[in-house]
Structures are given as structure tokens and as C-alpha cells.
Amino acid sequence: MIATGQTSSRGEKHLIGKMSVRRRVGIGITALALAVGIATPAALGHRTSARANGPGDVNAGAQIFVHYFCADCHTMRAAGYDVSHGILGPNLDKLHAPYVVIKATVENGLPAALPLYPTQMVGFKNVLTAQQIADVSAYVYAGTHGLIKPPAKGTTTTG
């Protein structure tokens, strides 16, 4: 018999299951907050950029966005839905990060943010050159801040 104030093992298991989900959500949010916290000092230290979208070449960045699989994981309206409609990473149309935060993310990646994004974004600092990172960062910045118009239906920005 269960005394007042005690719970059955069935109730405890149910409670533990809920706590586990809450804990996983909390860890995911914490990981995302840490990533933003790490990127923020870099963003604040680079406010002297001559152009808002950074020193990169937006046209070259469009090619990199498609050929280095950015478009496979992310959605970005400026690239065209036929090209960029991935769901593994965040929808870039909903983010409006400063150029330096985008650049830091491309260079260093981000951990998974459970439960929304179960996969991590790898850093490309050992894959792309510094100029390529600047180019794709400028493209993503321009695309997420309305500086590039989405292509007409059935066309892409890469030609």
C-alpha cells in the first residue's frame, strides 16, 4: 500500500521521462546560448567593417553556399526554394545575425541544439579559405537582410 505523499514506481517513471525531455531541451538551449555567447565578443570586436555585409564577394558566396552543402541543410529564400530548402539546420530567413556572427559560425560551427536541430554544424575553417569564408558569410548576410531579391520561380541564383 502507498502511504500519503509517496508515489508509485509507475508515477516516478513517468516523472523521470518528463524530466529527461525537459533536461534535453534545457541542454539544447544552453548549448545554443553558449554558442551565441562565444560569438558575441567576436561580433562586438569587429564593428569597424567598412561594409555591413563584410568584405566578401556575394556572387562568389552564392556558389559556395550551393557547392559546400549549405543549401542542403538550410533554407534561404534568396537562394531560391529549388536550391535551398534544407531542414537539418536553422531556416536562415528567420535569423538576422550580424556579419561577424555569421562568419564566426561558418568558421567554427555550432553544436546541436536539441530538440530543434539534432545535428551539429561543422566549422569550415579547415575546409574553406579565409576569402571563401568571407564570401559565403557576405552572401548569407545579404540574403538574410533583404539585400538580395529571391529569384523568380524555377530559377536559381547560381545560374
Side-chain angles (χ1 to χ4, degrees):
M1 181 169 255
I2 298 174
T4 305
Q6 291 182 339
T7 59
S8 69
S9 62
R10 179 184 303 168
E12 289 172 353
K13 286 180 184 177
H14 182 67
L15 181 62
I16 290 170
K18 281 187 176 181
M19 289 174 63
S20 178
V21 170
R22 288 181 187 144
R23 187 171 292 149
R24 282 185 267 156
V25 169
I27 290 171
I29 291 170
T30 302
L32 185 59
L34 284 172
V36 170
I38 291 169
T40 299
L44 295 175
H46 290 88
R47 287 188 177 185
T48 59
S49 177
R51 294 180 6 213
N53 64 329
D57 178 348
V58 173
N59 291 327
Q63 296 295 321
I64 295 165
F65 187 83
V66 172
H67 296 295
Y68 281 91
F69 309 108
C70 307
D72 293 334
C73 292
H74 297 284
T75 295
M76 189 167 78
R77 185 174 49 247
Y81 183 79
D82 293 342
V83 173
S84 179
H85 60 276
I87 58 171
L88 290 177
N91 179 339
L92 298 177
D93 292 327
K94 296 181 179 180
L95 302 175
H96 304 289
Y99 169 81
V100 292
V101 172
I102 295 168
K103 184 174 181 271
T105 303
V106 172
E107 286 177 333
N108 303 312
L110 286 174
L114 296 173
L116 298 174
Y117 304 108
T119 58
Q120 73 175 13
M121 178 179 161
V122 299
F124 286 87
K125 66 182 167 191
N126 296 327
V127 177
L128 300 173
T129 66
Q131 185 58 52
Q132 288 174 314
I133 290 171
D135 292 346
V136 75
S137 299
Y139 176 68
V140 170
Y141 179 87
T144 58
H145 287 79
L147 303 175
I148 301 173
K149 293 186 182 201
K153 295 229 184 231
T155 63
T156 64
T157 58
T158 60

